[in-house]
Amino acid sequence: MSTRDIDQTGGGSGAPGAAPGGAAENRYLREGFHAARWQEPVIMEQGSPGERGVIPPPLETGIRAAVGDPAALIPPELLRATPPALPEIAQPQVLRHFMRLSQMTMGTDVNIDLGLGTCTMKYSPKVNEFLARSPKMADLHPWQPEETVQGILEIAHRFGRMCCEISGLDAVSFQPASGAQGIFTNASIIRAYHEANGEGDTRDEIITTIFSHPADSATPAVLGYKLIVLYPDETGYPNLEQLKAALSERTAGLLITNPEDTGLYNPHIKEFTDAVHAVGGLCSYDQANLNGIMGVARAKEAGFDLCHFNLHKTFSSPHGSMGPGCGAVMVRQDLRRFLPRPLVESDGLRFFLDDDLPESIGKVRSFLGNLQVVMRAYAWVMSLGAEGLRQVSETAVINNRYLMKRLREEVPGLDLPYSPDTGRLDEARFSWGRLKEETGIGTEDVERRILDYGVNNYFSSHEPFVVPEPFTPEPAESYSRADIDEYAEIIRRVAEEAYAEPDLVATAPHKSSAPRMDESPLHEIDKVVTTWRVWKRLGLQSPDTPADV
Amino acid sequence: MVSLGFIVNPLAGIGGRVGLKGSDGEETVRRAFELGAVCLSPQRAFEALVSLKPLEADLELLTYPGAMGEEEALAAGLQPTVLGSIDAGGTSAADTRRAASEMLELGVDLLLFAGGDGTARDVYDIVGDRVPVLGIPTGCKIHSGVFAAHPRAAGELARLFLEGAVTRTNELEVMDIDEEAFRHDELRARLYGVLRVPHEPRLTQGSKAVGRGLSEDATVTSIAERVVEDMRAGVLYLIGSGTTPRGIMQKLDLPNTLLGVDVVRDGLLIAADATERDLLALLDEAPTHHPGSPAEIVVTPVGGQGFIFGRGNQQLSPEVIRRVGVGNVRMIATSTKLVGLPFHRMRVDTGDADVDAALRGYRRVVTGYRESAVVEVV
């Protein structure tokens, strides 16, 4: 069934905010949508004392005779004085509980999630799950001898060569488990490089841009670097003179995203990297936004010494809910010696782990990282081929241009700040600033209202909000024209509602699993308990915890 | 029971739609009416008040007669206690001040006013930091930070604050815009003072730059840490006006002149609210043998237009800047402020073309303890 089969009637009667245009206008809208709303108690509030989900069979006499009391085998210091507070509940009730929760979750397989820009949401082919979850993969042990894991080492090695080809760089590590960790790894390599050159103490500044992803400033800050942040001019990116004003003998490196989340590609990027090299700094390319330039432009030709890919975004491995990720890191040959240990190598006959890297930054993750992500990414690339990868980017850009055209021509109150007539690549950052001024409805209100039309994915912006009331969609290559039309139609409808019936939008969602939450306490920082430590510091107690705990 | 003071400047904004770019002064108001202006401020104030209806049973609403609040309150279905009296002929800034003064005396928990920058100044003159204040944006000029993003947001935030769901307040800027210059498309803004405003970034700064990261207070503190740590013995520090430089004085545990220039040396206050003459005299006395400069100027851009010199800090005259040396001007700003400047540029207008030219170009701005930005000064 295609979206065209749905709701040809123009929506359920009594649907809020019916558009003035009538049935034809509603072609792609699911006005009759309503999410499951189970009002499900938390698991700890369910069940009853003594209720069990699994009752283990009693120990057989022979085994007991051989090993004695199994409880006595556990060292006393590892035994709890009191049993843990676990729910006591039987299997069917557990199953029902989690099924209900899952029904209230609008996951990537049930909604059009192209609104979650910069995350490169795309279809993750289900066949790749069979590979990643097959016992051949899932049952591997990271301490198995190399000769028994030649298959996965071969895949890691082959895919490593592909990543090097796509980036133009020479050596690779799949150890970082996220994009931020990949950027952290690159910042660490920059530090190790300058330390090896005896300049570790004097080169203490990292340059980035305000639109680069937050990890490009946060991870060098964690490493002790001072940050210099460049702000954009009218074009949407900083200019060379500005960069030069930031460069000095103190420059350790440049960490930059390009295209940034505005979707704008800085065409002067090679001049930027040249200028950084001229003062002795290194250039690290945050390629979380690779999806618009894959197979078209490479890190090497842009002058970068290091880069990272998000295999869980661009290369289709599923992500979200902090699932396993991989921030693959690629570097120039002379920086290989600093990569996390070990590296997967081949002598032409067999594959092996090279742990002989005395200058390595060390480990950023255990073993080789999340290899099931590498496995899915490899399968995905093999299904596309080199030409296919380029086609991915071209399609993603075409999809984005189409969505942008619809949004810019049809949606009231929405603007495109910075170089509005310059083409964007795979995503675009819009502003609802005008809508907010004219109706009081801002980006967070729009985000909540689209839930009522059966989509939940929406991205405003990373911090800080440079664009007022930001909105950043990214229709990757796997969305159909009908998907994009439906999403555009929803955004148009919500904007029209904001002008016609602002209260309807301001109080949304109305048809989601949960009503609108009051988030104002989140801004009361002294009322927010984010960690157990804060809980302890504030001297808070749960009602059933003894005061001396 | 919570108590809310509610003041509407019914004439706010009337100059806007008829192209007068403001409503300050009787002559402007008269011309606006001649040009067919209608009062939109009461309607927008009413939109805000509607959000307070759920609080009705616990709310003591103090307001002024007629269109200064009484009519809007009744239209919103609330029962106000009406104070004072106004002339039948029309309202003026004096009425706003009198209303604010009476409400202050009666001890309101929050003062909610509808108007623009001019109304905010009138309220500030009376209440200062003694009562939390929130503005409903109904005027032509909304450059002050004390306004909610929209009338509805003002009502929502007032309700959250009175209910106790929002308890913190932020000191936000009241701007003084030269309306006569503004009519000639020239923006002259200076900091006029700060008001305490309930803290909820989504509702107060909605259309401007806002993040959910480090709070503004914490950022100001981290900038102050950097500046204080870098201070050298024997050097005179000329600390400019504004809340960001004030953080330095607080860090040093010294009294501060929010709208003036204070001078610090070796952690001690040398001069408070110094004039240009004071500054030049101090620079004369400063030891000339000191390596580098005997003095540094620390300034922050005025919010909105981003002037670092020439708006509200004329004490830092071209002569003072020249004597200190352009290279010894240290610029500081929170990233929220930089993000909010048009194309993130700062401006200079010292009145001396050579000094302005020397200050222009790409300059480093301290934005945190270990963070700076490169920003163009034009």
Side-chain angles (χ1 to χ4, degrees), chain A residues 224 227 229 234 239 242 418 439-440 444 463 465 468-469 524, chain B residues 150 152 167 202 206-207 210-212 344-345 362 364 370 372 374:
Chain A
L227 295 170
V229 182
E234 288 86 342
N239 62 54
Q242 196 179 353
Y418 300 107
T439 69
E444 293 182 2
E463 297 296 324
F465 283 15
E469 301 297 326
E524 299 272 298
Chain B
H150 186 268
R152 191 193 328 278
T167 56
R202 188 173 55 90
S207 63
V210 55
R212 283 178 231 114
H344 321 298
R345 289 193 178 107
Y362 292 102
R364 286 231 195 154
R370 298 176 73 80
S372 58
V374 173

PDB file of all heavy atoms in Angstrom, chain A residues 224 227 229 234 239 242 418 439-440 444 463 465 468-469 524, chain B residues 150 152 167 202 206-207 210-212 344-345 362 364 370 372 374:
ATOM      1  N   GLY A 224      42.154  19.392  26.751  1.00  0.00           N
ATOM      2  CA  GLY A 224      42.891  20.517  27.310  1.00  0.00           C
ATOM      3  C   GLY A 224      43.200  21.627  26.329  1.00  0.00           C
ATOM      4  O   GLY A 224      43.897  22.573  26.667  1.00  0.00           O
ATOM      5  N   LEU A 227      39.976  26.763  22.579  1.00  0.00           N
ATOM      6  CA  LEU A 227      39.197  26.762  21.342  1.00  0.00           C
ATOM      7  C   LEU A 227      39.101  28.154  20.753  1.00  0.00           C
ATOM      8  O   LEU A 227      38.915  29.127  21.481  1.00  0.00           O
ATOM      9  CB  LEU A 227      37.771  26.292  21.627  1.00  0.00           C
ATOM     10  CG  LEU A 227      37.638  24.861  22.080  1.00  0.00           C
ATOM     11  CD1 LEU A 227      36.220  24.627  22.558  1.00  0.00           C
ATOM     12  CD2 LEU A 227      37.977  23.923  20.945  1.00  0.00           C
ATOM     13  N   VAL A 229      36.664  29.826  17.904  1.00  0.00           N
ATOM     14  CA  VAL A 229      35.478  29.518  17.112  1.00  0.00           C
ATOM     15  C   VAL A 229      35.274  30.608  16.058  1.00  0.00           C
ATOM     16  O   VAL A 229      35.283  31.801  16.387  1.00  0.00           O
ATOM     17  CB  VAL A 229      34.235  29.410  18.019  1.00  0.00           C
ATOM     18  CG1 VAL A 229      33.012  29.045  17.188  1.00  0.00           C
ATOM     19  CG2 VAL A 229      34.469  28.369  19.115  1.00  0.00           C
ATOM     20  N   GLU A 234      27.879  36.511   5.694  1.00  0.00           N
ATOM     21  CA  GLU A 234      26.608  36.358   4.966  1.00  0.00           C
ATOM     22  C   GLU A 234      26.532  35.060   4.168  1.00  0.00           C
ATOM     23  O   GLU A 234      25.455  34.557   3.879  1.00  0.00           O
ATOM     24  CB  GLU A 234      26.393  37.536   4.003  1.00  0.00           C
ATOM     25  CG  GLU A 234      26.043  38.845   4.678  1.00  0.00           C
ATOM     26  CD  GLU A 234      27.270  39.633   5.108  1.00  0.00           C
ATOM     27  OE1 GLU A 234      28.375  39.043   5.200  1.00  0.00           O
ATOM     28  OE2 GLU A 234      27.116  40.850   5.355  1.00  0.00           O
ATOM     29  N   ASN A 239      35.243  33.314   6.314  1.00  0.00           N
ATOM     30  CA  ASN A 239      36.120  33.525   5.163  1.00  0.00           C
ATOM     31  C   ASN A 239      37.581  33.331   5.562  1.00  0.00           C
ATOM     32  O   ASN A 239      37.920  33.212   6.739  1.00  0.00           O
ATOM     33  CB  ASN A 239      35.866  34.893   4.521  1.00  0.00           C
ATOM     34  CG  ASN A 239      36.154  36.018   5.486  1.00  0.00           C
ATOM     35  OD1 ASN A 239      37.247  36.079   6.039  1.00  0.00           O
ATOM     36  ND2 ASN A 239      35.194  36.894   5.714  1.00  0.00           N
ATOM     37  N   GLN A 242      39.355  35.600   8.059  1.00  0.00           N
ATOM     38  CA  GLN A 242      38.963  35.338   9.442  1.00  0.00           C
ATOM     39  C   GLN A 242      39.778  34.172  10.006  1.00  0.00           C
ATOM     40  O   GLN A 242      40.275  34.222  11.133  1.00  0.00           O
ATOM     41  CB  GLN A 242      37.479  35.010   9.428  1.00  0.00           C
ATOM     42  CG  GLN A 242      36.802  35.075  10.762  1.00  0.00           C
ATOM     43  CD  GLN A 242      35.325  34.760  10.612  1.00  0.00           C
ATOM     44  OE1 GLN A 242      34.817  34.635   9.493  1.00  0.00           O
ATOM     45  NE2 GLN A 242      34.642  34.635  11.726  1.00  0.00           N
ATOM     46  N   TYR A 418      21.160  32.704   5.354  1.00  0.00           N
ATOM     47  CA  TYR A 418      22.481  32.571   4.703  1.00  0.00           C
ATOM     48  C   TYR A 418      22.340  32.096   3.251  1.00  0.00           C
ATOM     49  O   TYR A 418      21.832  30.997   2.992  1.00  0.00           O
ATOM     50  CB  TYR A 418      23.386  31.586   5.447  1.00  0.00           C
ATOM     51  CG  TYR A 418      23.670  31.960   6.884  1.00  0.00           C
ATOM     52  CD1 TYR A 418      23.076  31.257   7.912  1.00  0.00           C
ATOM     53  CD2 TYR A 418      24.516  33.008   7.186  1.00  0.00           C
ATOM     54  CE1 TYR A 418      23.330  31.584   9.231  1.00  0.00           C
ATOM     55  CE2 TYR A 418      24.781  33.346   8.501  1.00  0.00           C
ATOM     56  CZ  TYR A 418      24.185  32.627   9.517  1.00  0.00           C
ATOM     57  OH  TYR A 418      24.429  32.949  10.820  1.00  0.00           O
ATOM     58  N   THR A 439       3.255  34.512  15.034  1.00  0.00           N
ATOM     59  CA  THR A 439       2.193  33.680  15.627  1.00  0.00           C
ATOM     60  C   THR A 439       2.503  33.216  17.039  1.00  0.00           C
ATOM     61  O   THR A 439       1.620  32.701  17.714  1.00  0.00           O
ATOM     62  CB  THR A 439       1.969  32.414  14.783  1.00  0.00           C
ATOM     63  OG1 THR A 439       3.121  31.568  14.916  1.00  0.00           O
ATOM     64  CG2 THR A 439       1.760  32.736  13.312  1.00  0.00           C
ATOM     65  N   GLY A 440       3.743  33.350  17.461  1.00  0.00           N
ATOM     66  CA  GLY A 440       4.122  32.810  18.773  1.00  0.00           C
ATOM     67  C   GLY A 440       4.467  31.340  18.716  1.00  0.00           C
ATOM     68  O   GLY A 440       4.867  30.756  19.712  1.00  0.00           O
ATOM     69  N   GLU A 444       9.924  24.277  18.453  1.00  0.00           N
ATOM     70  CA  GLU A 444       9.567  23.165  19.340  1.00  0.00           C
ATOM     71  C   GLU A 444       8.069  22.864  19.280  1.00  0.00           C
ATOM     72  O   GLU A 444       7.652  21.727  19.487  1.00  0.00           O
ATOM     73  CB  GLU A 444       9.992  23.479  20.776  1.00  0.00           C
ATOM     74  CG  GLU A 444      11.499  23.532  20.911  1.00  0.00           C
ATOM     75  CD  GLU A 444      11.953  23.786  22.339  1.00  0.00           C
ATOM     76  OE1 GLU A 444      11.096  23.891  23.237  1.00  0.00           O
ATOM     77  OE2 GLU A 444      13.165  23.880  22.548  1.00  0.00           O
ATOM     78  N   GLU A 463      23.639  22.754  19.460  1.00  0.00           N
ATOM     79  CA  GLU A 463      23.921  23.968  20.214  1.00  0.00           C
ATOM     80  C   GLU A 463      25.127  24.672  19.606  1.00  0.00           C
ATOM     81  O   GLU A 463      26.038  24.007  19.140  1.00  0.00           O
ATOM     82  CB  GLU A 463      24.243  23.611  21.657  1.00  0.00           C
ATOM     83  CG  GLU A 463      23.111  22.957  22.393  1.00  0.00           C
ATOM     84  CD  GLU A 463      21.934  23.871  22.549  1.00  0.00           C
ATOM     85  OE1 GLU A 463      22.173  25.092  22.729  1.00  0.00           O
ATOM     86  OE2 GLU A 463      20.804  23.403  22.470  1.00  0.00           O
ATOM     87  N   PHE A 465      21.973  27.649  19.142  1.00  0.00           N
ATOM     88  CA  PHE A 465      21.019  27.943  18.066  1.00  0.00           C
ATOM     89  C   PHE A 465      21.443  29.236  17.376  1.00  0.00           C
ATOM     90  O   PHE A 465      21.042  30.319  17.759  1.00  0.00           O
ATOM     91  CB  PHE A 465      19.612  28.091  18.635  1.00  0.00           C
ATOM     92  CG  PHE A 465      18.936  26.790  18.972  1.00  0.00           C
ATOM     93  CD1 PHE A 465      19.653  25.606  19.062  1.00  0.00           C
ATOM     94  CD2 PHE A 465      17.576  26.740  19.191  1.00  0.00           C
ATOM     95  CE1 PHE A 465      19.029  24.407  19.378  1.00  0.00           C
ATOM     96  CE2 PHE A 465      16.937  25.547  19.499  1.00  0.00           C
ATOM     97  CZ  PHE A 465      17.657  24.370  19.594  1.00  0.00           C
ATOM     98  N   PRO A 468      17.767  31.412  14.257  1.00  0.00           N
ATOM     99  CA  PRO A 468      16.619  31.475  15.170  1.00  0.00           C
ATOM    100  C   PRO A 468      15.580  30.394  14.836  1.00  0.00           C
ATOM    101  O   PRO A 468      15.307  30.137  13.665  1.00  0.00           O
ATOM    102  CB  PRO A 468      16.035  32.869  14.920  1.00  0.00           C
ATOM    103  CG  PRO A 468      17.052  33.615  14.145  1.00  0.00           C
ATOM    104  CD  PRO A 468      17.892  32.616  13.430  1.00  0.00           C
ATOM    105  N   GLU A 469      15.046  29.777  15.864  1.00  0.00           N
ATOM    106  CA  GLU A 469      14.000  28.765  15.687  1.00  0.00           C
ATOM    107  C   GLU A 469      14.342  27.801  14.543  1.00  0.00           C
ATOM    108  O   GLU A 469      13.640  27.693  13.546  1.00  0.00           O
ATOM    109  CB  GLU A 469      12.643  29.446  15.427  1.00  0.00           C
ATOM    110  CG  GLU A 469      12.210  30.382  16.537  1.00  0.00           C
ATOM    111  CD  GLU A 469      11.999  29.673  17.867  1.00  0.00           C
ATOM    112  OE1 GLU A 469      11.567  28.505  17.856  1.00  0.00           O
ATOM    113  OE2 GLU A 469      12.304  30.278  18.914  1.00  0.00           O
ATOM    114  N   GLU A 524      15.289  24.915  35.253  1.00  0.00           N
ATOM    115  CA  GLU A 524      15.618  25.184  36.651  1.00  0.00           C
ATOM    116  C   GLU A 524      16.728  24.210  37.027  1.00  0.00           C
ATOM    117  O   GLU A 524      16.460  23.126  37.553  1.00  0.00           O
ATOM    118  CB  GLU A 524      14.390  24.949  37.529  1.00  0.00           C
ATOM    119  CG  GLU A 524      13.227  25.843  37.173  1.00  0.00           C
ATOM    120  CD  GLU A 524      13.272  27.162  37.903  1.00  0.00           C
ATOM    121  OE1 GLU A 524      13.211  27.160  39.132  1.00  0.00           O
ATOM    122  OE2 GLU A 524      13.385  28.204  37.230  1.00  0.00           O
TER     123      GLU A 524
ATOM    124  N   HIS B 150       6.757  36.568  22.448  1.00  0.00           N
ATOM    125  CA  HIS B 150       5.455  36.786  21.828  1.00  0.00           C
ATOM    126  C   HIS B 150       4.476  37.026  22.979  1.00  0.00           C
ATOM    127  O   HIS B 150       4.724  36.564  24.092  1.00  0.00           O
ATOM    128  CB  HIS B 150       5.092  35.508  21.049  1.00  0.00           C
ATOM    129  CG  HIS B 150       3.851  35.617  20.232  1.00  0.00           C
ATOM    130  ND1 HIS B 150       2.619  35.262  20.742  1.00  0.00           N
ATOM    131  CD2 HIS B 150       3.629  36.015  18.952  1.00  0.00           C
ATOM    132  CE1 HIS B 150       1.698  35.453  19.798  1.00  0.00           C
ATOM    133  NE2 HIS B 150       2.291  35.894  18.703  1.00  0.00           N
ATOM    134  N   ARG B 152       1.712  35.623  23.764  1.00  0.00           N
ATOM    135  CA  ARG B 152       1.269  34.362  24.349  1.00  0.00           C
ATOM    136  C   ARG B 152       2.364  33.785  25.267  1.00  0.00           C
ATOM    137  O   ARG B 152       2.090  33.268  26.348  1.00  0.00           O
ATOM    138  CB  ARG B 152       0.955  33.371  23.232  1.00  0.00           C
ATOM    139  CG  ARG B 152       0.251  32.112  23.679  1.00  0.00           C
ATOM    140  CD  ARG B 152       0.258  31.053  22.579  1.00  0.00           C
ATOM    141  NE  ARG B 152       0.221  31.647  21.237  1.00  0.00           N
ATOM    142  CZ  ARG B 152      -0.877  32.062  20.653  1.00  0.00           C
ATOM    143  NH1 ARG B 152      -2.031  31.937  21.260  1.00  0.00           N
ATOM    144  NH2 ARG B 152      -0.821  32.603  19.450  1.00  0.00           N
ATOM    145  N   THR B 167      11.289  29.496  38.940  1.00  0.00           N
ATOM    146  CA  THR B 167      11.618  30.311  40.117  1.00  0.00           C
ATOM    147  C   THR B 167      12.820  31.223  39.889  1.00  0.00           C
ATOM    148  O   THR B 167      12.958  32.241  40.541  1.00  0.00           O
ATOM    149  CB  THR B 167      11.932  29.421  41.333  1.00  0.00           C
ATOM    150  OG1 THR B 167      12.992  28.533  40.976  1.00  0.00           O
ATOM    151  CG2 THR B 167      10.728  28.609  41.748  1.00  0.00           C
ATOM    152  N   ARG B 202      13.186  29.489  26.439  1.00  0.00           N
ATOM    153  CA  ARG B 202      12.299  29.195  25.313  1.00  0.00           C
ATOM    154  C   ARG B 202      11.250  30.299  25.151  1.00  0.00           C
ATOM    155  O   ARG B 202      10.817  30.613  24.053  1.00  0.00           O
ATOM    156  CB  ARG B 202      11.614  27.852  25.565  1.00  0.00           C
ATOM    157  CG  ARG B 202      10.800  27.305  24.427  1.00  0.00           C
ATOM    158  CD  ARG B 202      10.338  25.892  24.759  1.00  0.00           C
ATOM    159  NE  ARG B 202       9.604  25.829  26.015  1.00  0.00           N
ATOM    160  CZ  ARG B 202       8.279  25.985  26.125  1.00  0.00           C
ATOM    161  NH1 ARG B 202       7.562  26.215  25.054  1.00  0.00           N
ATOM    162  NH2 ARG B 202       7.682  25.902  27.298  1.00  0.00           N
ATOM    163  N   GLY B 206      12.835  33.457  22.632  1.00  0.00           N
ATOM    164  CA  GLY B 206      12.414  32.520  21.586  1.00  0.00           C
ATOM    165  C   GLY B 206      12.949  32.800  20.210  1.00  0.00           C
ATOM    166  O   GLY B 206      13.525  31.928  19.575  1.00  0.00           O
ATOM    167  N   SER B 207      12.766  34.020  19.728  1.00  0.00           N
ATOM    168  CA  SER B 207      13.115  34.240  18.338  1.00  0.00           C
ATOM    169  C   SER B 207      14.584  34.585  18.195  1.00  0.00           C
ATOM    170  O   SER B 207      15.103  34.684  17.115  1.00  0.00           O
ATOM    171  CB  SER B 207      12.257  35.359  17.763  1.00  0.00           C
ATOM    172  OG  SER B 207      12.530  36.545  18.456  1.00  0.00           O
ATOM    173  N   VAL B 210      19.306  31.122  21.223  1.00  0.00           N
ATOM    174  CA  VAL B 210      19.180  30.547  22.550  1.00  0.00           C
ATOM    175  C   VAL B 210      19.609  29.097  22.497  1.00  0.00           C
ATOM    176  O   VAL B 210      19.367  28.385  21.546  1.00  0.00           O
ATOM    177  CB  VAL B 210      17.748  30.681  23.077  1.00  0.00           C
ATOM    178  CG1 VAL B 210      16.757  30.077  22.126  1.00  0.00           C
ATOM    179  CG2 VAL B 210      17.597  30.054  24.425  1.00  0.00           C
ATOM    180  N   GLY B 211      20.284  28.690  23.491  1.00  0.00           N
ATOM    181  CA  GLY B 211      20.664  27.294  23.566  1.00  0.00           C
ATOM    182  C   GLY B 211      20.264  26.732  24.901  1.00  0.00           C
ATOM    183  O   GLY B 211      19.782  27.441  25.760  1.00  0.00           O
ATOM    184  N   ARG B 212      20.494  25.452  25.051  1.00  0.00           N
ATOM    185  CA  ARG B 212      20.201  24.840  26.334  1.00  0.00           C
ATOM    186  C   ARG B 212      21.502  24.414  27.014  1.00  0.00           C
ATOM    187  O   ARG B 212      21.519  23.555  27.855  1.00  0.00           O
ATOM    188  CB  ARG B 212      19.285  23.629  26.144  1.00  0.00           C
ATOM    189  CG  ARG B 212      17.855  24.020  25.889  1.00  0.00           C
ATOM    190  CD  ARG B 212      17.004  22.800  25.670  1.00  0.00           C
ATOM    191  NE  ARG B 212      16.231  22.942  24.464  1.00  0.00           N
ATOM    192  CZ  ARG B 212      16.383  22.207  23.382  1.00  0.00           C
ATOM    193  NH1 ARG B 212      17.286  21.252  23.353  1.00  0.00           N
ATOM    194  NH2 ARG B 212      15.644  22.396  22.341  1.00  0.00           N
ATOM    195  N   HIS B 344      26.968  38.426  13.101  1.00  0.00           N
ATOM    196  CA  HIS B 344      27.994  38.176  14.119  1.00  0.00           C
ATOM    197  C   HIS B 344      29.137  39.185  14.032  1.00  0.00           C
ATOM    198  O   HIS B 344      30.288  38.860  14.262  1.00  0.00           O
ATOM    199  CB  HIS B 344      28.518  36.731  13.990  1.00  0.00           C
ATOM    200  CG  HIS B 344      27.431  35.759  13.667  1.00  0.00           C
ATOM    201  ND1 HIS B 344      26.360  35.535  14.498  1.00  0.00           N
ATOM    202  CD2 HIS B 344      27.214  34.975  12.585  1.00  0.00           C
ATOM    203  CE1 HIS B 344      25.541  34.670  13.943  1.00  0.00           C
ATOM    204  NE2 HIS B 344      26.021  34.312  12.780  1.00  0.00           N
ATOM    205  N   ARG B 345      28.797  40.414  13.666  1.00  0.00           N
ATOM    206  CA  ARG B 345      29.832  41.453  13.569  1.00  0.00           C
ATOM    207  C   ARG B 345      29.683  42.431  14.713  1.00  0.00           C
ATOM    208  O   ARG B 345      28.586  42.676  15.193  1.00  0.00           O
ATOM    209  CB  ARG B 345      29.682  42.213  12.240  1.00  0.00           C
ATOM    210  CG  ARG B 345      30.071  41.369  11.050  1.00  0.00           C
ATOM    211  CD  ARG B 345      30.222  42.233   9.808  1.00  0.00           C
ATOM    212  NE  ARG B 345      30.653  41.390   8.707  1.00  0.00           N
ATOM    213  CZ  ARG B 345      29.851  41.028   7.684  1.00  0.00           C
ATOM    214  NH1 ARG B 345      28.621  41.481   7.611  1.00  0.00           N
ATOM    215  NH2 ARG B 345      30.309  40.237   6.750  1.00  0.00           N
ATOM    216  N   TYR B 362      39.440  41.622  11.797  1.00  0.00           N
ATOM    217  CA  TYR B 362      39.082  40.418  12.549  1.00  0.00           C
ATOM    218  C   TYR B 362      39.777  40.427  13.898  1.00  0.00           C
ATOM    219  O   TYR B 362      40.994  40.577  13.972  1.00  0.00           O
ATOM    220  CB  TYR B 362      39.445  39.177  11.740  1.00  0.00           C
ATOM    221  CG  TYR B 362      38.569  39.045  10.522  1.00  0.00           C
ATOM    222  CD1 TYR B 362      39.031  39.405   9.266  1.00  0.00           C
ATOM    223  CD2 TYR B 362      37.262  38.612  10.654  1.00  0.00           C
ATOM    224  CE1 TYR B 362      38.214  39.325   8.149  1.00  0.00           C
ATOM    225  CE2 TYR B 362      36.438  38.528   9.554  1.00  0.00           C
ATOM    226  CZ  TYR B 362      36.916  38.879   8.302  1.00  0.00           C
ATOM    227  OH  TYR B 362      36.088  38.806   7.220  1.00  0.00           O
ATOM    228  N   ARG B 364      39.965  38.847  18.060  1.00  0.00           N
ATOM    229  CA  ARG B 364      39.623  37.774  18.989  1.00  0.00           C
ATOM    230  C   ARG B 364      38.717  38.305  20.090  1.00  0.00           C
ATOM    231  O   ARG B 364      38.943  39.389  20.619  1.00  0.00           O
ATOM    232  CB  ARG B 364      40.879  37.207  19.631  1.00  0.00           C
ATOM    233  CG  ARG B 364      41.651  36.344  18.674  1.00  0.00           C
ATOM    234  CD  ARG B 364      41.955  35.004  19.302  1.00  0.00           C
ATOM    235  NE  ARG B 364      42.981  34.346  18.507  1.00  0.00           N
ATOM    236  CZ  ARG B 364      43.799  33.447  18.990  1.00  0.00           C
ATOM    237  NH1 ARG B 364      43.746  33.111  20.271  1.00  0.00           N
ATOM    238  NH2 ARG B 364      44.689  32.872  18.209  1.00  0.00           N
ATOM    239  N   ARG B 370      38.413  28.893  28.299  1.00  0.00           N
ATOM    240  CA  ARG B 370      39.395  28.415  27.323  1.00  0.00           C
ATOM    241  C   ARG B 370      38.825  28.518  25.919  1.00  0.00           C
ATOM    242  O   ARG B 370      39.090  27.682  25.077  1.00  0.00           O
ATOM    243  CB  ARG B 370      39.777  26.966  27.628  1.00  0.00           C
ATOM    244  CG  ARG B 370      40.429  26.792  28.989  1.00  0.00           C
ATOM    245  CD  ARG B 370      40.698  25.345  29.281  1.00  0.00           C
ATOM    246  NE  ARG B 370      41.802  24.820  28.504  1.00  0.00           N
ATOM    247  CZ  ARG B 370      43.084  25.011  28.810  1.00  0.00           C
ATOM    248  NH1 ARG B 370      43.417  25.709  29.864  1.00  0.00           N
ATOM    249  NH2 ARG B 370      44.029  24.510  28.059  1.00  0.00           N
ATOM    250  N   SER B 372      37.592  31.269  22.672  1.00  0.00           N
ATOM    251  CA  SER B 372      37.458  32.597  22.106  1.00  0.00           C
ATOM    252  C   SER B 372      36.841  32.478  20.720  1.00  0.00           C
ATOM    253  O   SER B 372      36.682  31.385  20.182  1.00  0.00           O
ATOM    254  CB  SER B 372      38.834  33.280  22.022  1.00  0.00           C
ATOM    255  OG  SER B 372      39.711  32.502  21.235  1.00  0.00           O
ATOM    256  N   VAL B 374      36.674  34.473  16.699  1.00  0.00           N
ATOM    257  CA  VAL B 374      37.227  35.503  15.827  1.00  0.00           C
ATOM    258  C   VAL B 374      36.047  36.181  15.155  1.00  0.00           C
ATOM    259  O   VAL B 374      35.253  35.528  14.482  1.00  0.00           O
ATOM    260  CB  VAL B 374      38.193  34.906  14.787  1.00  0.00           C
ATOM    261  CG1 VAL B 374      38.602  35.988  13.786  1.00  0.00           C
ATOM    262  CG2 VAL B 374      39.418  34.338  15.470  1.00  0.00           C
TER     263      VAL B 374
END
